[in-house]
Amino acid sequence: MKDITIFTPTYNRSSYLRRLYDSICLQAHLDSIEWVVIDDESTDDTADTMQKIFADNKERFPIRFLKQKHGGKHRAINKAVSIAEGDYFFIVDSDDYLCKGAIEKILLWIEGVRTRNDICAVAGIAVFPNNKVIGGAINFSTEYVDASIFDRYKYGLGGDKAEVYKTSILKRHPFPEFKNEFFVTENVCWYSIAAEGYLIRWYDDAIYVCDYLPGGLTMSGANDVEGHIRNFCGYKYYIELCIKVLPLRQKFAHINEYRETVKSLGLSEHEAADAINFSGLKYKIYSFLSRLYTILRSIRKAT
């Protein structure tokens, strides 16, 4: 067993895998990690790049490279979690890389929550390559804050962060997989875990560099209306989860987005309600309240 499984899903990112590998090599405590890379049926020279990395690694730390039939990041995460040998699971995308000292910090953070059964993850800050914090300034002055993912914005924890989850908890919360669909938002997993009452220990300390590139999930529109349409079963699943577990004001934001999606699909109000297991009356009420919420927010911003 290892302390941390670093997991990298990749698709046509061979030119960036070496940078990520080099950032791992610069870490302390390499005996505490393994690196699992799953290729989502790339058409570039990813396999050749990984073979060169294997040759250069000289068993400094375990590396496992697997290929899957094109199925999306969520399927790759499910596979990696099922075979992970680390107590904690750290997703590091192939176009991103680690800050110096990241693993050393994570190991210290893990030690600090070892007796806390209510903590599902430790998390640091993600930054752009220019060191600008993703999501803006943090809104707490202590070394860390223990908070639910539902309360993260209260502490200025917007945008992508670098969460390192307990593998045992992830194994209980796999992503749903729908035939002929290739995207499910990662919030499906994070929200279902938070709904069980788990907290994350958040640190205001950069450990992860995000380099958003064209063609990646963030820039691909997977989380936009067109992406919702292409992956409608997964999107419906997410909306039902949001309605079940999110605070009221956050439900309204998702209902507004859902209304826009079903309108683009040409669904009737009845069909839209039925798709998320709502009665017609319940859907009318939620639609009205969500529109009202949007109007009130606009008025408050204007004043």
Side-chain angles (χ1 to χ4, degrees):
M1 292 293 292
K2 296 290 183 180
D3 292 300
I4 303 168
T5 295
I6 299 172
F7 166 60
T8 299
T10 189
Y11 176 71
N12 287 345
R13 284 286 184 264
S14 65
S15 59
Y16 293 92
L17 285 168
R18 169 64 68 170
R19 180 179 65 178
L20 171 53
Y21 168 72
D22 289 341
S23 79
I24 297 174
C25 289
L26 292 174
Q27 304 298 315
H29 307 291
L30 291 180
D31 58 334
S32 298
I33 70 168
E34 66 165 347
W35 187 29
V36 175
V37 180
I38 295 186
D39 178 23
D40 194 32
E41 206 168 18
S42 292
T43 57
D44 65 1
D45 60 344
T46 290
D48 292 338
T49 297
M50 288 304 301
Q51 284 302 317
K52 292 174 183 176
I53 287 174
F54 274 113
D56 293 343
N57 187 53
K58 303 187 189 312
E59 300 184 357
R60 274 182 282 186
F61 55 91
I63 300 176
R64 285 186 282 171
F65 175 58
L66 295 83
K67 299 180 182 181
Q68 71 173 20
K69 183 178 179 181
H70 177 58
K73 182 177 179 179
H74 63 297
R75 287 185 172 88
I77 294 173
N78 282 348
K79 176 63 177 177
V81 168
S82 73
I83 64 171
E85 295 183 359
D87 292 330
Y88 280 75
F89 192 85
F90 187 15
I91 301 173
V92 182
D93 290 341
S94 53
D95 49 357
D96 302 332
Y97 53 98
L98 299 181
C99 298
K100 185 177 180 180
I103 296 302
E104 185 173 11
K105 291 174 184 177
I106 293 168
L107 290 172
L108 285 172
W109 298 345
I110 289 172
E111 193 59 35
V113 300
R114 199 167 292 280
T115 60
R116 291 282 300 273
N117 292 328
D118 61 331
I119 300 284
C120 65
V122 295
I125 301 302
V127 296
F128 292 108
N130 64 3
N131 288 322
K132 183 178 179 180
V133 174
I134 295 172
I138 302 302
N139 187 27
F140 60 88
S141 57
T142 52
E143 180 187 3
Y144 60 81
V145 64
D146 296 339
S148 167
I149 200 169
F150 300 140
D151 296 323
R152 59 185 294 186
Y153 294 101
K154 181 191 304 182
Y155 299 100
L157 293 163
D160 285 334
K161 295 293 177 277
E163 300 95 340
V164 187
Y165 274 85
K166 289 181 179 177
T167 305
S168 59
I169 293 176
L170 292 182
K171 287 180 184 292
R172 302 202 312 267
H173 293 272
F175 288 91
E177 299 180 9
F178 298 98
K179 187 176 180 180
N180 297 325
E181 292 192 6
F182 305 103
F183 175 78
V184 175
T185 174
E186 290 175 40
N187 282 338
V188 165
C189 183
W190 315 150
Y191 287 178
S192 65
I193 292 171
E196 292 187 355
Y198 284 108
L199 306 177
I200 294 175
R201 176 159 291 183
W202 309 88
Y203 286 84
D204 183 8
D205 204 344
I207 60 172
Y208 189 115
V209 181
C210 285
D211 193 5
Y212 300 117
L213 298 174
L217 283 176
T218 301
M219 305 292 285
S220 70
N223 268 316
D224 296 335
V225 169
E226 288 302 316
H228 301 330
I229 291 171
R230 291 194 302 270
N231 302 281
F232 192 58
C233 290
Y235 178 59
K236 288 189 301 177
Y237 183 98
Y238 175 55
I239 290 297
E240 290 183 77
L241 177 65
C242 289
I243 292 168
K244 180 179 178 182
V245 305
L246 289 181
L248 193 60
R249 60 184 177 81
Q250 294 182 36
K251 297 182 199 287
F252 292 154
H254 287 288
I255 285 292
N256 275 329
E257 185 182 58
Y258 178 71
R259 288 174 50 247
E260 184 179 352
T261 299
V262 296
K263 181 180 178 181
S264 296
L265 272 170
L267 297 186
S268 68
E269 192 172 77
H270 173 76
E271 291 170 327
D274 189 58
I276 54 173
N277 295 309
F278 268 26
S279 67
L281 178 60
K282 186 175 181 180
Y283 187 71
K284 285 179 184 292
I285 292 171
Y286 266 78
S287 295
F288 171 75
L289 291 176
S290 65
R291 289 194 296 269
L292 180 61
Y293 174 73
T294 301
I295 293 169
L296 292 175
R297 281 192 67 190
S298 298
I299 293 172
R300 281 200 298 269
K301 287 182 179 179
T303 57

